[in-house]
Structures are given as structure tokens and as C-alpha cells.
Amino acid sequence: MNSFIKNISENPFLQRSAEDELTFLDQIYYTPTYYDELLHNAINGISRMLVGKRGLGKSATIHMLFKELKINNTLPILITRYDGIPLTDNEPYFLYKIMQGMCNGIARHLYITLIPQHNFL
């Protein structure tokens, strides 16, 4: 076995998606060259779209950005479920999802801030 591979007890690429790898994503994530630009854009409220083939790390990048934005006191909103949202005339649906994410994020922040011993969220 190569000497540069350490502390890997099972195949880190066994899962099929980034969502299945969230518990150890920090350990296997390779930061793409465009990451800092995406982070800067997100902090400044500039939307971007990631497009690419399956397995290129789009979801992993989104999850890493989301985590870093939360650490830097930014309230990111991650919409992962699009079922039930129509393809046209969907602005109210997205506004609802955004408001839902904001309310949950603010409530989580207040709960963690006011009751720090319950920092499990």
C-alpha cells in the first residue's frame, strides 16, 4: 500500500453521492480552482450555477461552501427538494422555500446562541 494513504479503513469513494459522504466530506474533498471565486460570490450575494457531469464534485462543493458560509456568520439557504415546484410560474414556490430556509436558519442560530449547551444542530 502507498505510504501517503493513511487512516483509511474503508473505500472513501464507496458512496454514490456527496449527500451520503457528509460525515467525512472534509477528509476527501478536493478544492477546485474556482472555489474561492464561488465563496466570494456567495458572500456578496452573487448567484452562480454549477454545471457538470455526475461525479465531478458539484454537490460536494455546494456542501463545503454552505459549511464555510455558516462558519463565517452568513445565512446560506440550500434548496435540495424541487419536487412539487412547477417548471413555470414558480416564483411564489421559490420565495416560500427561501423564507422557510431563512426562518429555520435564524431559529437555529438563536437557539444555539441562547442555549449553547445544546449545540447539536
Side-chain angles (χ1 to χ4, degrees):
M1 182 174 235
N2 294 335
S3 61
F4 65 90
I5 298 176
K6 298 178 182 177
N7 299 325
I8 297 179
S9 59
E10 60 184 60
N11 183 354
F13 306 107
L14 189 61
Q15 306 302 324
R16 295 187 117 357
S17 70
E19 291 78 12
D20 297 332
E21 300 168 341
L22 291 177
T23 56
F24 57 93
L25 188 59
D26 290 341
Q27 299 168 20
I28 63 170
Y29 182 70
Y30 179 80
T31 305
T33 56
Y34 54 82
Y35 183 85
D36 288 336
E37 181 181 354
L38 286 175
L39 180 60
H40 178 269
N41 288 338
I43 289 171
N44 291 296
I46 302 169
S47 297
R48 289 289 180 251
M49 185 179 297
L50 289 177
V51 179
K53 292 183 179 180
R54 178 182 170 93
L56 290 179
K58 299 176 302 295
S59 294
T61 298
I62 294 297
H63 286 288
M64 294 301 286
L65 283 168
F66 190 85
K67 181 178 178 179
E68 191 161 349
L69 289 167
K70 284 173 55 176
I71 289 169
N72 290 310
N73 295 320
T74 303
L75 178 59
I77 298 171
L78 182 62
I79 300 173
T80 58
R81 302 288 305 192
Y82 293 93
D83 47 330
I85 297 177
L87 296 176
T88 59
D89 299 322
N90 53 20
E91 185 175 340
Y93 293 89
F94 280 108
L95 288 174
Y96 171 78
K97 289 284 193 180
I98 291 168
M99 292 300 295
Q100 187 179 39
M102 288 175 63
C103 289
N104 288 338
I106 291 168
R108 184 178 300 116
H109 173 76
L110 290 173
Y111 183 76
I112 290 170
T113 303
L114 298 175
I115 310 173
Q117 69 272 19
H118 293 103
N119 191 358
F120 58 86
L121 298 174

